[in-house]
C-alpha cells in the first residue's frame, strides 16, 4: 500500500512525510517541484528509506502524475503542494494561480481518471485529501465568532483567493464526479523546517543574526497558531475517518496578536541563547503594513474534535519552546535555505517598508 503526497519537501508536507514514515508501514510517493520553498534537506533523515520515493516534478504535469498513479497505485493522495506566502502573492500572483488553481485542477483530473478505473473495493477506499487554509474565510472583527466550516468564503489576498478557487474545484469534483474527497482548512502553522520568510522563523533567524525584527503595521493582527505536528495528526485523522465531501477546520485554540508572538520568541531566545547586547526585543521594528492585511483569523475546531476526536497535543507554550530550540540546534538547515534567492526575496519584500515611527 502507498499514498501519494504532493509538496512533501515543503514545511508542512515535509513534516507530514517524516511522521508518516515513522508511524506507518506504507510507502509514501513524494511529488515536489522543489521550488524555493522545497528542500530535500528536510527529508535527510529518511534518505535511502525504502518507504520514501521522492519524485522531482510539477503537479501541473499531467503525464507525470498519470504515470505515478499507474506505477504506484496509491490508495490516497494528500495534496499539500502550493505557493503559500501571502507577501509573495502580492508581488507575483501568477505563480499562485498556476500552481494552486491549475495544479489542483490537473491533479483532480488525474485522480479522477485513475480512480474511475479502480476495482470497486479500491474505489470505495480511495481518498483525495486537499490541504487548505483558514485564510479563504477572510478577516474577522474583534468580537466575531471564529471561522466555522459554514462560514462564507471571502478571500482577500491573491494567495487566499487561489486557495479558495482550489477548494471550490475539490468540492465540485466530489459533487459532480463523486471523487471521494476531504478538505481541511487550517490556521497558521509553526514548527521545525519552516522556511524563514514566514513570521516565526523569520523572527528567530533575524534575531540570532542581530537584524531588525519587522512587525507589519501596529502588530495587533491576530492569528490562531498550531504546531505543525498537530496539523499532521489532524490530516491523518481525516484520512482515516473523515466523511466524504466534508470540510474540517483545524486550529490550535490559540489566538495571539503578532507582537505578542514576536515578544514571546524574543523572551525564549533571551533564555536559551542570550545576547551580550541585551534582550532581542531591542531589535523589534515596526514597518509599513502589508496591503490588504487581514486583521484576525480564528478557527472553531469543534467539528473535527466531535467527529474524529482530534485535539492539538501541544499548547503554544510547549510548541514554541520546541520550535525555538529546533532552530538553535539546526543552524546548518537554516544556513542552507538562506541562499542567494532567499536574500533577493528579503531585499525585495522589505526594501519599501520604511520604519514606522
Ligand atoms: P511551503 O511553501 O513550505 O511548501 C510548498 C511545497 O510545494 C514546496 O516543497 C514546493 O516545492 C512545492 N510546490 C510548489 N509548487 C509546486 C508544483 N507546481 N508542483 C509540485 N510541487 C510544488 O508550504 P507549506 O507552508 O508547507 O503549506 C503546505 C500546504 O498547506 C499549502 O497548500 C498551504 O496552502 C497549506 N496551509 C499552510 C499553512 C501554513 O501556516 N503554512 C496553514 C494552512 C494551510
Ligand atoms: P505569515 O507568517 O506570512 O503568515 P500569514 O500571512 O499567512 O498569516 O505572517 C503571519 C503574520 O505576521 C501576518 O499577520 C503578517 C505578519 N508579519 C509581520 O508582521 N512581519 C513579517 O516580516 C512577516 C513575514 C509577517
Amino acid at each position: 500500500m502507498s499514498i501519494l503526497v504532493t509538496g512533501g519537501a515543503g514545511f508542512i508536507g515535509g513534516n507530514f512525510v517524516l511522521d508518516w514514515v515513522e508511524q506507518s508501514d506504507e510507502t509514501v510517493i513524494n511529488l515536489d517541484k522543489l521550488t524555493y520553498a522545497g528542500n530535500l534537506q528536510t527529508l535527510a533523515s529518511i534518505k535511502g528509506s525504502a518507504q520514501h520515493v521522492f519524485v522531482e516534478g510539477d503537479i501541473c504535469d499531467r503525464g507525470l502524475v498519470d504515470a505515478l498513479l499507474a506505477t504506484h497505485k496509491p490508495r490516497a493522495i494528500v495534496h499539500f503542494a502550493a505557493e503559500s506566502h501571502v507577501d509573495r502573492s502580492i508581488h507575483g500572483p501568477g505563480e499562485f494561480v498556476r500552481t494552486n488553481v491549475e495544479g489542483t485542477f490537473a491533479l483532480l483530473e488525474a485522480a479522477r481518471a485513475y480512480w474511475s478505473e479502480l476495482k470497486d473495493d479500491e474505489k470505495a477506499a480511495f481518498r483525495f485529501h486537499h490541504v487548505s487554509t483558514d485564510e479563504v474565510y477572510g478577516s474577522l472583527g474583534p468580537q466575531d465568532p471564529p471561522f466555522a466550516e459554514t462560514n462564507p468564503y471571502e478571500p482577500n489576498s491573491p494567495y487566499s483567493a487561489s486557495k479558495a478557487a482550489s477548494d471550490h474545484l475539490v468540492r465540485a469534483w466530489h459533487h459532480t464526479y463523486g471523487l471521494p474527497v476531504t478538505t481541511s482548512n487550517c490556521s497558521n502553522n509553526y514548527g521545525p523546517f519552516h522556511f524563514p520568510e514566514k513570521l516565526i522563523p523569520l523572527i528567530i533567524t533575524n534575531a540570532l543574526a542581530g537584524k531588525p525584527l519587522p512587525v507589519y503595521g501596529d502588530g495587533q493582527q491576530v492569528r490562531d497558531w498550531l504546531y505543525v505536528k498537530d496539523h499532521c495528526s489532524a490530516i491523518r485523522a481525516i484520512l482515516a475517518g473523515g466523511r466524504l465531501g466534508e470540510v474540517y477546520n483545524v486550529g490550535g485554540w490559540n489566538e495571539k496578536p503578532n507582537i505578542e508572538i514576536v515578544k514571546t520568541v524574543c523572551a525564549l531566545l533571551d533564555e536559551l541563547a542570550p545576547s551580550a547586547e541585551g534582550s532581542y526585543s531591542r531589535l523589534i521594528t515596526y514597518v509599513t503594513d502589508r496591503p490588504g492585511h487581514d486583521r484576525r483569523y480564528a478557527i472553531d475546531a469543534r467539528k473535527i474534535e466531535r467527529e474524529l476526536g482530534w485535539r492539538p497535543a501541544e499548547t503554544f507554550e510547549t510548541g514554541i519552546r520546541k520550535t525555538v530550540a529546533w532552530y538553535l540546534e539546526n543552524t546548518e538547515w537554516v544556513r542552507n535555505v538562506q541562499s542567494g534567492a532567499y536574500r533577493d526575496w528579503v531585499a525585495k519584500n522589505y526594501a519599501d517598508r520604511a520604519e514606522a515611527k
Side-chain angles (χ1 to χ4, degrees):
M1 294 282 250
S2 68
I3 63 166
L4 172 67
V5 164
T6 70
F11 165 47
I12 306 173
N15 276 284
F16 182 85
V17 167
L18 293 175
D19 287 359
W20 190 269
V21 169
E22 196 180 299
Q23 301 189 6
S24 154
D25 295 333
E26 282 178 308
T27 300
V28 47
I29 319 302
N30 184 354
L31 172 62
D32 195 297
K33 190 180 167 187
L34 295 181
T35 68
Y36 80 92
N39 184 359
L40 283 179
Q41 285 181 37
T42 297
L43 304 164
S45 64
I46 53 170
K47 193 168 181 227
S49 162
Q51 245 186 288
H52 179 232
V53 179
F54 183 79
V55 180
E56 182 175 348
D58 194 328
I59 55 167
C60 298
D61 182 345
R62 180 66 198 276
L64 173 64
V65 178
D66 284 346
L68 287 177
L69 293 173
T71 305
H72 298 283
K73 302 190 172 28
R75 67 165 181 93
I77 297 175
V78 185
H79 176 33
F80 294 93
E83 289 292 333
S84 69
H85 188 32
V86 174
D87 292 321
R88 284 188 193 251
S89 81
I90 295 167
H91 285 277
E95 205 52 33
F96 286 71
V97 172
R98 203 188 83 87
T99 284
N100 300 1
V101 186
E102 293 173 24
T104 301
F105 166 69
L107 200 62
L108 282 167
E109 280 294 81
R112 181 164 76 92
Y114 166 71
W115 168 78
S116 64
E117 297 297 322
L118 291 175
K119 295 198 292 275
D120 282 353
D121 53 338
E122 293 168 346
K123 210 171 173 177
F126 184 77
R127 293 289 180 274
F128 182 107
H129 182 72
H130 177 56
V131 180
S132 192
T133 166
D134 60 355
E135 305 193 21
V136 298
Y137 297 120
S139 185
L140 293 167
Q143 306 305 328
D144 289 338
F147 299 129
E149 289 80 0
T150 48
N151 271 52
Y153 270 39
E154 292 176 350
N156 292 320
S157 72
Y159 164 64
S160 54
S162 67
K163 290 297 291 187
S166 70
D167 293 7
H168 290 324
L169 292 176
V170 171
R171 176 189 160 89
W173 261 239
H174 175 67
H175 280 265
T176 302
Y177 304 113
L179 191 71
V181 308
T182 48
T183 295
S184 50
N185 292 88
C186 187
S187 60
N188 285 60
N189 285 214
Y190 67 98
F193 304 111
H194 203 181
F195 194 75
E197 64 181 354
K198 305 279 174 70
L199 180 69
I200 288 179
L202 181 93
I203 295 301
I204 298 171
T205 52
N206 275 19
L208 291 172
K211 292 182 181 162
L213 311 181
V215 174
Y216 294 168
D218 63 3
Q220 293 302 327
Q221 302 82 8
V222 171
R223 299 289 182 266
D224 174 353
W225 294 93
L226 179 70
Y227 191 64
V228 63
K229 300 283 181 191
D230 281 325
H231 188 186
C232 296
S233 72
I235 293 169
R236 289 195 302 273
I238 297 168
L239 209 51
R243 286 187 293 131
L244 295 187
E246 290 293 318
V247 170
Y248 294 90
N249 283 359
V250 181
W253 299 105
N254 178 59
E255 283 185 59
K256 289 197 192 299
N258 292 339
I259 187 63
E260 200 180 316
I261 297 289
V262 174
K263 287 182 175 167
T264 301
V265 169
C266 289
L268 276 167
L269 286 172
D270 287 342
E271 179 193 326
L272 300 173
S275 158
E277 287 156 64
S279 172
Y280 290 101
S281 57
R282 73 185 189 284
L283 299 170
I284 293 174
T285 308
Y286 288 91
V287 299
T288 308
D289 208 352
R290 171 188 282 172
H293 198 171
D294 283 340
R295 197 70 184 162
R296 175 176 167 237
Y297 304 142
I299 282 275
D300 176 347
R302 282 177 299 176
K303 178 175 172 183
I304 186 168
E305 179 170 3
R306 192 173 60 242
E307 291 193 11
L308 303 174
W310 177 88
R311 264 192 82 86
E314 301 289 344
T315 63
F316 187 68
E317 288 64 35
T318 59
I320 193 69
R321 183 172 280 277
K322 283 184 185 177
T323 304
V324 171
W326 187 89
Y327 278 88
L328 289 171
E329 284 158 17
N330 290 275
T331 48
E332 201 184 322
W333 183 91
V334 173
R335 233 190 340 271
N336 286 329
V337 299
Q338 289 175 326
S339 63
Y342 173 78
R343 289 195 295 276
D344 292 347
W345 161 253
V346 170
K348 186 173 176 180
N349 190 41
Y350 296 96
D352 300 335
R353 293 184 192 274
E355 187 172 337
K357 298 293 171 202

PDB file of all heavy atoms in Angstrom, residues 247-272:
ATOM      1  N   VAL A 247     -15.689  19.157   4.932  1.00  0.00           N
ATOM      2  CA  VAL A 247     -14.600  20.085   5.238  1.00  0.00           C
ATOM      3  C   VAL A 247     -14.392  20.063   6.748  1.00  0.00           C
ATOM      4  O   VAL A 247     -15.357  20.042   7.509  1.00  0.00           O
ATOM      5  CB  VAL A 247     -14.992  21.513   4.789  1.00  0.00           C
ATOM      6  CG1 VAL A 247     -13.997  22.539   5.300  1.00  0.00           C
ATOM      7  CG2 VAL A 247     -15.114  21.572   3.269  1.00  0.00           C
ATOM      8  N   TYR A 248     -13.120  20.051   7.170  1.00  0.00           N
ATOM      9  CA  TYR A 248     -12.803  20.106   8.601  1.00  0.00           C
ATOM     10  C   TYR A 248     -11.893  21.302   8.864  1.00  0.00           C
ATOM     11  O   TYR A 248     -10.816  21.409   8.260  1.00  0.00           O
ATOM     12  CB  TYR A 248     -12.112  18.804   9.045  1.00  0.00           C
ATOM     13  CG  TYR A 248     -13.023  17.602   8.950  1.00  0.00           C
ATOM     14  CD1 TYR A 248     -13.091  16.841   7.785  1.00  0.00           C
ATOM     15  CD2 TYR A 248     -13.862  17.263  10.009  1.00  0.00           C
ATOM     16  CE1 TYR A 248     -13.955  15.760   7.681  1.00  0.00           C
ATOM     17  CE2 TYR A 248     -14.732  16.180   9.906  1.00  0.00           C
ATOM     18  CZ  TYR A 248     -14.772  15.426   8.747  1.00  0.00           C
ATOM     19  OH  TYR A 248     -15.642  14.363   8.645  1.00  0.00           O
ATOM     20  N   ASN A 249     -12.313  22.193   9.751  1.00  0.00           N
ATOM     21  CA  ASN A 249     -11.447  23.293  10.175  1.00  0.00           C
ATOM     22  C   ASN A 249     -10.513  22.792  11.271  1.00  0.00           C
ATOM     23  O   ASN A 249     -10.949  22.107  12.207  1.00  0.00           O
ATOM     24  CB  ASN A 249     -12.276  24.462  10.710  1.00  0.00           C
ATOM     25  CG  ASN A 249     -12.907  25.268   9.583  1.00  0.00           C
ATOM     26  OD1 ASN A 249     -12.703  24.960   8.410  1.00  0.00           O
ATOM     27  ND2 ASN A 249     -13.656  26.289   9.940  1.00  0.00           N
ATOM     28  N   VAL A 250      -9.242  23.160  11.143  1.00  0.00           N
ATOM     29  CA  VAL A 250      -8.214  22.683  12.077  1.00  0.00           C
ATOM     30  C   VAL A 250      -7.506  23.900  12.667  1.00  0.00           C
ATOM     31  O   VAL A 250      -7.043  24.769  11.914  1.00  0.00           O
ATOM     32  CB  VAL A 250      -7.178  21.797  11.336  1.00  0.00           C
ATOM     33  CG1 VAL A 250      -6.113  21.285  12.303  1.00  0.00           C
ATOM     34  CG2 VAL A 250      -7.860  20.635  10.628  1.00  0.00           C
ATOM     35  N   GLY A 251      -7.454  23.970  14.003  1.00  0.00           N
ATOM     36  CA  GLY A 251      -6.802  25.121  14.628  1.00  0.00           C
ATOM     37  C   GLY A 251      -6.281  24.763  16.003  1.00  0.00           C
ATOM     38  O   GLY A 251      -6.533  23.666  16.517  1.00  0.00           O
ATOM     39  N   GLY A 252      -5.560  25.704  16.587  1.00  0.00           N
ATOM     40  CA  GLY A 252      -4.873  25.429  17.845  1.00  0.00           C
ATOM     41  C   GLY A 252      -5.559  25.989  19.071  1.00  0.00           C
ATOM     42  O   GLY A 252      -5.020  25.913  20.176  1.00  0.00           O
ATOM     43  N   TRP A 253      -6.737  26.578  18.928  1.00  0.00           N
ATOM     44  CA  TRP A 253      -7.406  27.250  20.043  1.00  0.00           C
ATOM     45  C   TRP A 253      -6.422  28.238  20.685  1.00  0.00           C
ATOM     46  O   TRP A 253      -6.264  28.280  21.895  1.00  0.00           O
ATOM     47  CB  TRP A 253      -7.918  26.251  21.087  1.00  0.00           C
ATOM     48  CG  TRP A 253      -8.928  25.294  20.529  1.00  0.00           C
ATOM     49  CD1 TRP A 253      -8.721  23.986  20.223  1.00  0.00           C
ATOM     50  CD2 TRP A 253     -10.296  25.580  20.175  1.00  0.00           C
ATOM     51  NE1 TRP A 253      -9.871  23.425  19.709  1.00  0.00           N
ATOM     52  CE2 TRP A 253     -10.856  24.370  19.672  1.00  0.00           C
ATOM     53  CE3 TRP A 253     -11.113  26.717  20.230  1.00  0.00           C
ATOM     54  CZ2 TRP A 253     -12.182  24.280  19.234  1.00  0.00           C
ATOM     55  CZ3 TRP A 253     -12.425  26.610  19.791  1.00  0.00           C
ATOM     56  CH2 TRP A 253     -12.944  25.406  19.307  1.00  0.00           C
ATOM     57  N   ASN A 254      -5.746  28.974  19.836  1.00  0.00           N
ATOM     58  CA  ASN A 254      -4.618  29.748  20.337  1.00  0.00           C
ATOM     59  C   ASN A 254      -4.454  31.037  19.531  1.00  0.00           C
ATOM     60  O   ASN A 254      -3.566  31.157  18.716  1.00  0.00           O
ATOM     61  CB  ASN A 254      -3.370  28.861  20.219  1.00  0.00           C
ATOM     62  CG  ASN A 254      -2.148  29.579  20.667  1.00  0.00           C
ATOM     63  OD1 ASN A 254      -2.069  30.023  21.807  1.00  0.00           O
ATOM     64  ND2 ASN A 254      -1.209  29.762  19.765  1.00  0.00           N
ATOM     65  N   GLU A 255      -5.340  31.986  19.797  1.00  0.00           N
ATOM     66  CA  GLU A 255      -5.280  33.277  19.097  1.00  0.00           C
ATOM     67  C   GLU A 255      -4.295  34.199  19.785  1.00  0.00           C
ATOM     68  O   GLU A 255      -4.370  34.375  21.000  1.00  0.00           O
ATOM     69  CB  GLU A 255      -6.648  33.960  19.171  1.00  0.00           C
ATOM     70  CG  GLU A 255      -7.686  33.426  18.258  1.00  0.00           C
ATOM     71  CD  GLU A 255      -8.948  34.289  18.365  1.00  0.00           C
ATOM     72  OE1 GLU A 255      -8.881  35.495  18.101  1.00  0.00           O
ATOM     73  OE2 GLU A 255      -9.991  33.734  18.732  1.00  0.00           O
ATOM     74  N   LYS A 256      -3.411  34.803  18.991  1.00  0.00           N
ATOM     75  CA  LYS A 256      -2.472  35.757  19.581  1.00  0.00           C
ATOM     76  C   LYS A 256      -2.143  36.865  18.587  1.00  0.00           C
ATOM     77  O   LYS A 256      -1.974  36.605  17.393  1.00  0.00           O
ATOM     78  CB  LYS A 256      -1.167  35.074  19.968  1.00  0.00           C
ATOM     79  CG  LYS A 256      -1.310  34.145  21.156  1.00  0.00           C
ATOM     80  CD  LYS A 256       0.032  33.816  21.774  1.00  0.00           C
ATOM     81  CE  LYS A 256      -0.093  32.671  22.770  1.00  0.00           C
ATOM     82  NZ  LYS A 256      -0.986  32.971  23.873  1.00  0.00           N
ATOM     83  N   PRO A 257      -2.026  38.119  19.082  1.00  0.00           N
ATOM     84  CA  PRO A 257      -1.558  39.191  18.198  1.00  0.00           C
ATOM     85  C   PRO A 257      -0.086  38.997  17.835  1.00  0.00           C
ATOM     86  O   PRO A 257       0.695  38.455  18.630  1.00  0.00           O
ATOM     87  CB  PRO A 257      -1.741  40.462  19.027  1.00  0.00           C
ATOM     88  CG  PRO A 257      -2.119  40.055  20.403  1.00  0.00           C
ATOM     89  CD  PRO A 257      -2.332  38.572  20.431  1.00  0.00           C
ATOM     90  N   ASN A 258       0.286  39.444  16.632  1.00  0.00           N
ATOM     91  CA  ASN A 258       1.657  39.231  16.150  1.00  0.00           C
ATOM     92  C   ASN A 258       2.708  39.747  17.120  1.00  0.00           C
ATOM     93  O   ASN A 258       3.734  39.093  17.338  1.00  0.00           O
ATOM     94  CB  ASN A 258       1.847  39.909  14.788  1.00  0.00           C
ATOM     95  CG  ASN A 258       1.037  39.235  13.696  1.00  0.00           C
ATOM     96  OD1 ASN A 258       0.654  38.077  13.826  1.00  0.00           O
ATOM     97  ND2 ASN A 258       0.755  39.962  12.629  1.00  0.00           N
ATOM     98  N   ILE A 259       2.467  40.910  17.699  1.00  0.00           N
ATOM     99  CA  ILE A 259       3.503  41.499  18.559  1.00  0.00           C
ATOM    100  C   ILE A 259       3.763  40.596  19.775  1.00  0.00           C
ATOM    101  O   ILE A 259       4.898  40.489  20.253  1.00  0.00           O
ATOM    102  CB  ILE A 259       3.144  42.963  18.976  1.00  0.00           C
ATOM    103  CG1 ILE A 259       4.304  43.623  19.715  1.00  0.00           C
ATOM    104  CG2 ILE A 259       1.860  43.051  19.758  1.00  0.00           C
ATOM    105  CD1 ILE A 259       5.571  43.785  18.906  1.00  0.00           C
ATOM    106  N   GLU A 260       2.704  39.920  20.234  1.00  0.00           N
ATOM    107  CA  GLU A 260       2.896  39.005  21.372  1.00  0.00           C
ATOM    108  C   GLU A 260       3.746  37.800  20.957  1.00  0.00           C
ATOM    109  O   GLU A 260       4.592  37.321  21.732  1.00  0.00           O
ATOM    110  CB  GLU A 260       1.526  38.551  21.875  1.00  0.00           C
ATOM    111  CG  GLU A 260       1.573  38.022  23.293  1.00  0.00           C
ATOM    112  CD  GLU A 260       0.191  37.575  23.748  1.00  0.00           C
ATOM    113  OE1 GLU A 260      -0.800  38.294  23.498  1.00  0.00           O
ATOM    114  OE2 GLU A 260       0.120  36.480  24.348  1.00  0.00           O
ATOM    115  N   ILE A 261       3.520  37.317  19.744  1.00  0.00           N
ATOM    116  CA  ILE A 261       4.331  36.206  19.214  1.00  0.00           C
ATOM    117  C   ILE A 261       5.803  36.629  19.185  1.00  0.00           C
ATOM    118  O   ILE A 261       6.703  35.892  19.626  1.00  0.00           O
ATOM    119  CB  ILE A 261       3.862  35.846  17.783  1.00  0.00           C
ATOM    120  CG1 ILE A 261       2.419  35.357  17.769  1.00  0.00           C
ATOM    121  CG2 ILE A 261       4.806  34.840  17.121  1.00  0.00           C
ATOM    122  CD1 ILE A 261       2.186  34.013  18.358  1.00  0.00           C
ATOM    123  N   VAL A 262       6.041  37.817  18.640  1.00  0.00           N
ATOM    124  CA  VAL A 262       7.419  38.296  18.483  1.00  0.00           C
ATOM    125  C   VAL A 262       8.077  38.440  19.865  1.00  0.00           C
ATOM    126  O   VAL A 262       9.224  38.011  20.065  1.00  0.00           O
ATOM    127  CB  VAL A 262       7.428  39.636  17.708  1.00  0.00           C
ATOM    128  CG1 VAL A 262       8.825  40.234  17.665  1.00  0.00           C
ATOM    129  CG2 VAL A 262       6.900  39.417  16.292  1.00  0.00           C
ATOM    130  N   LYS A 263       7.343  38.981  20.825  1.00  0.00           N
ATOM    131  CA  LYS A 263       7.922  39.153  22.172  1.00  0.00           C
ATOM    132  C   LYS A 263       8.170  37.802  22.853  1.00  0.00           C
ATOM    133  O   LYS A 263       9.155  37.635  23.574  1.00  0.00           O
ATOM    134  CB  LYS A 263       7.002  40.033  23.022  1.00  0.00           C
ATOM    135  CG  LYS A 263       7.069  41.491  22.587  1.00  0.00           C
ATOM    136  CD  LYS A 263       6.212  42.386  23.455  1.00  0.00           C
ATOM    137  CE  LYS A 263       6.416  43.845  23.041  1.00  0.00           C
ATOM    138  NZ  LYS A 263       5.404  44.735  23.628  1.00  0.00           N
ATOM    139  N   THR A 264       7.286  36.844  22.617  1.00  0.00           N
ATOM    140  CA  THR A 264       7.486  35.506  23.202  1.00  0.00           C
ATOM    141  C   THR A 264       8.752  34.859  22.628  1.00  0.00           C
ATOM    142  O   THR A 264       9.546  34.262  23.373  1.00  0.00           O
ATOM    143  CB  THR A 264       6.263  34.598  22.899  1.00  0.00           C
ATOM    144  OG1 THR A 264       5.118  35.225  23.440  1.00  0.00           O
ATOM    145  CG2 THR A 264       6.425  33.216  23.487  1.00  0.00           C
ATOM    146  N   VAL A 265       8.938  34.985  21.316  1.00  0.00           N
ATOM    147  CA  VAL A 265      10.145  34.412  20.697  1.00  0.00           C
ATOM    148  C   VAL A 265      11.384  35.102  21.269  1.00  0.00           C
ATOM    149  O   VAL A 265      12.378  34.438  21.615  1.00  0.00           O
ATOM    150  CB  VAL A 265      10.081  34.557  19.151  1.00  0.00           C
ATOM    151  CG1 VAL A 265      11.428  34.233  18.516  1.00  0.00           C
ATOM    152  CG2 VAL A 265       8.996  33.652  18.585  1.00  0.00           C
ATOM    153  N   CYS A 266      11.337  36.418  21.414  1.00  0.00           N
ATOM    154  CA  CYS A 266      12.490  37.146  21.971  1.00  0.00           C
ATOM    155  C   CYS A 266      12.796  36.658  23.391  1.00  0.00           C
ATOM    156  O   CYS A 266      13.962  36.434  23.745  1.00  0.00           O
ATOM    157  CB  CYS A 266      12.220  38.656  21.998  1.00  0.00           C
ATOM    158  SG  CYS A 266      12.231  39.398  20.361  1.00  0.00           S
ATOM    159  N   ALA A 267      11.752  36.469  24.188  1.00  0.00           N
ATOM    160  CA  ALA A 267      11.969  36.047  25.580  1.00  0.00           C
ATOM    161  C   ALA A 267      12.595  34.652  25.631  1.00  0.00           C
ATOM    162  O   ALA A 267      13.490  34.382  26.446  1.00  0.00           O
ATOM    163  CB  ALA A 267      10.643  36.071  26.339  1.00  0.00           C
ATOM    164  N   LEU A 268      12.142  33.747  24.740  1.00  0.00           N
ATOM    165  CA  LEU A 268      12.720  32.400  24.718  1.00  0.00           C
ATOM    166  C   LEU A 268      14.183  32.442  24.269  1.00  0.00           C
ATOM    167  O   LEU A 268      15.033  31.727  24.824  1.00  0.00           O
ATOM    168  CB  LEU A 268      11.921  31.508  23.776  1.00  0.00           C
ATOM    169  CG  LEU A 268      10.675  30.884  24.392  1.00  0.00           C
ATOM    170  CD1 LEU A 268       9.795  30.283  23.310  1.00  0.00           C
ATOM    171  CD2 LEU A 268      11.063  29.810  25.412  1.00  0.00           C
ATOM    172  N   LEU A 269      14.470  33.280  23.278  1.00  0.00           N
ATOM    173  CA  LEU A 269      15.863  33.403  22.838  1.00  0.00           C
ATOM    174  C   LEU A 269      16.722  34.013  23.938  1.00  0.00           C
ATOM    175  O   LEU A 269      17.880  33.607  24.134  1.00  0.00           O
ATOM    176  CB  LEU A 269      15.939  34.254  21.561  1.00  0.00           C
ATOM    177  CG  LEU A 269      15.462  33.563  20.279  1.00  0.00           C
ATOM    178  CD1 LEU A 269      15.393  34.558  19.130  1.00  0.00           C
ATOM    179  CD2 LEU A 269      16.386  32.395  19.911  1.00  0.00           C
ATOM    180  N   ASP A 270      16.175  34.978  24.673  1.00  0.00           N
ATOM    181  CA  ASP A 270      16.927  35.570  25.792  1.00  0.00           C
ATOM    182  C   ASP A 270      17.317  34.488  26.804  1.00  0.00           C
ATOM    183  O   ASP A 270      18.394  34.506  27.381  1.00  0.00           O
ATOM    184  CB  ASP A 270      16.090  36.643  26.512  1.00  0.00           C
ATOM    185  CG  ASP A 270      15.952  37.920  25.677  1.00  0.00           C
ATOM    186  OD1 ASP A 270      16.754  38.110  24.739  1.00  0.00           O
ATOM    187  OD2 ASP A 270      15.027  38.700  25.957  1.00  0.00           O
ATOM    188  N   GLU A 271      16.397  33.518  26.970  1.00  0.00           N
ATOM    189  CA  GLU A 271      16.659  32.436  27.929  1.00  0.00           C
ATOM    190  C   GLU A 271      17.634  31.396  27.358  1.00  0.00           C
ATOM    191  O   GLU A 271      18.576  30.970  28.045  1.00  0.00           O
ATOM    192  CB  GLU A 271      15.324  31.755  28.264  1.00  0.00           C
ATOM    193  CG  GLU A 271      15.443  30.600  29.239  1.00  0.00           C
ATOM    194  CD  GLU A 271      14.145  29.780  29.281  1.00  0.00           C
ATOM    195  OE1 GLU A 271      13.046  30.354  29.133  1.00  0.00           O
ATOM    196  OE2 GLU A 271      14.259  28.545  29.454  1.00  0.00           O
ATOM    197  N   LEU A 272      17.415  31.002  26.088  1.00  0.00           N
ATOM    198  CA  LEU A 272      18.154  29.858  25.535  1.00  0.00           C
ATOM    199  C   LEU A 272      19.451  30.247  24.822  1.00  0.00           C
ATOM    200  O   LEU A 272      20.354  29.427  24.692  1.00  0.00           O
ATOM    201  CB  LEU A 272      17.252  29.083  24.558  1.00  0.00           C
ATOM    202  CG  LEU A 272      15.958  28.508  25.155  1.00  0.00           C
ATOM    203  CD1 LEU A 272      15.076  27.905  24.066  1.00  0.00           C
ATOM    204  CD2 LEU A 272      16.269  27.447  26.218  1.00  0.00           C
TER     205      LEU A 272
END
